[in-house]
Amino acid sequence: MIPTDADGLDPATAISAKIVIAGGFGVGKTTLVRSISEVPPLNTEAWMTEASEGIDDLSMSGAKSTTTVAMDFGRISLFPDLVLYLFGTPGQPRFWFLWDDLSRGALGAVVLVDSRRLDQSFAALNYFENDSTVPYIVAVNRFEGKLWHDVDEVREALALRPDIPLVTCDARETASTAQVLRDLVVHTMSLAQVPEPRRTRTHA
C-alpha cells in the first residue's frame, strides 16, 4: 500500500524531494507519473499533427496521439516522512533544452527504457551520465506486461556501468512504479561520491 496524506503524513516533519522521470518519446513517462500520483497529475501534452512529421520520431508510437511538450508533474508520499515530487521530461529532441531546468535540484532520476527501441534512451542516459550530477537508475518498462529482452542483454546494449541499478517495471501499475521509486531512493542515499569515467553511446 502506498501511504497518502490520510495515512498520517505530518507536513511539518516530512521531507520532500524532487525526482525526474526521463527517457525517449513514447517510453511511458506520462503513464508512470499518472499511475503513482496521489494528486491529479499535471500533463502538458499537445496533439501530434502532420506538422511534426520529419521533426518528431513517430516510429513505434502506435495509437499515441499526443506528446509531452514541457513536463509531467505528480506527487507521491512514498514513505510516511518522504514526499516525492515527480517531474517527467519531454522525450522529443526539440524539447531537450528543458532538461537542465527540470533536473535542477533533483534528488535522483529514473531513466525509463523501451527495450524494443533502446536507441531512444541514449540521449537521456548520456545526459545523466555526462552532463548532470543527478544520480539515476534505469527502469525497463514492460510494455504489454512483457519483458521483451533479457535484463543482462539490455544492460550490455546500453553500456551501463555495474554500479547503475537496472530494474524492470510496468509503468501502468502503481505498486510497480512505487518499487522503482524506492529503488531510486535507496540507490541515491547509498551512493559514494566516486568519479566515474564518461562514455558516449552510439548506434551499432
Side-chain angles (χ1 to χ4, degrees):
M1 178 179 178
I2 306 302
T4 64
D5 291 342
D7 294 318
L9 178 67
D10 183 356
T13 60
I15 299 172
S16 62
K18 179 181 183 180
I19 298 296
V20 175
I21 310 298
F25 171 71
V27 299
K29 301 183 298 295
T30 298
T31 299
L32 186 149
V33 173
R34 285 175 176 169
S35 75
I36 194 69
S37 181
E38 63 193 10
V39 298
L42 170 65
N43 304 117
T44 55
E45 293 192 319
W47 291 102
M48 294 185 296
T49 67
E50 292 181 358
S52 68
E53 293 183 4
I55 300 175
D56 295 337
D57 180 6
L58 305 183
S59 63
M60 295 293 290
S61 62
K64 186 174 174 62
S65 58
T66 61
T67 185
T68 299
V69 296
M71 68 173 184
D72 299 313
F73 174 79
R75 187 192 76 182
I76 177 63
S77 305
L78 190 64
F79 300 109
D81 59 350
L82 178 61
V83 179
L84 300 182
Y85 293 94
L86 309 178
F87 290 78
T89 66
Q92 294 289 7
R94 57 191 169 122
F95 301 119
W96 288 351
F97 69 92
L98 295 170
W99 288 6
D100 282 340
D101 287 337
L102 292 175
S103 299
R104 188 171 294 114
L107 174 71
V110 175
V111 177
L112 199 59
V113 169
D114 179 353
S115 64
R116 301 169 300 176
R117 47 194 185 108
L118 292 175
D119 61 304
Q120 291 291 312
S121 307
F122 290 169
L125 287 167
N126 284 331
Y127 175 80
F128 286 103
E129 186 167 303
N130 299 327
D131 301 323
S132 173
T133 59
V134 176
Y136 70 97
I137 68 171
V138 178
V140 179
N141 191 4
R142 299 194 300 269
F143 278 90
E144 301 175 16
K146 300 177 182 178
L147 186 60
W148 294 85
H149 296 283
D150 182 79
V151 172
D152 290 336
E153 293 175 348
V154 173
R155 176 178 287 278
E156 181 177 359
L158 294 178
L160 292 182
R161 302 195 314 262
D163 61 302
I164 301 298
L166 176 63
V167 300
T168 68
C169 70
D170 188 328
R172 302 168 299 178
E173 297 181 359
T174 300
S176 183
T177 297
Q179 186 57 52
V180 170
L181 295 176
R182 292 190 190 100
D183 291 339
L184 174 61
V185 171
V186 169
H187 172 64
T188 300
M189 300 307 292
S190 65
L191 274 180
Q193 300 300 318
V194 178
E196 293 288 347
R198 296 184 174 186
R199 304 182 187 183
T200 299
R201 292 165 182 80
T202 58
H203 294 274

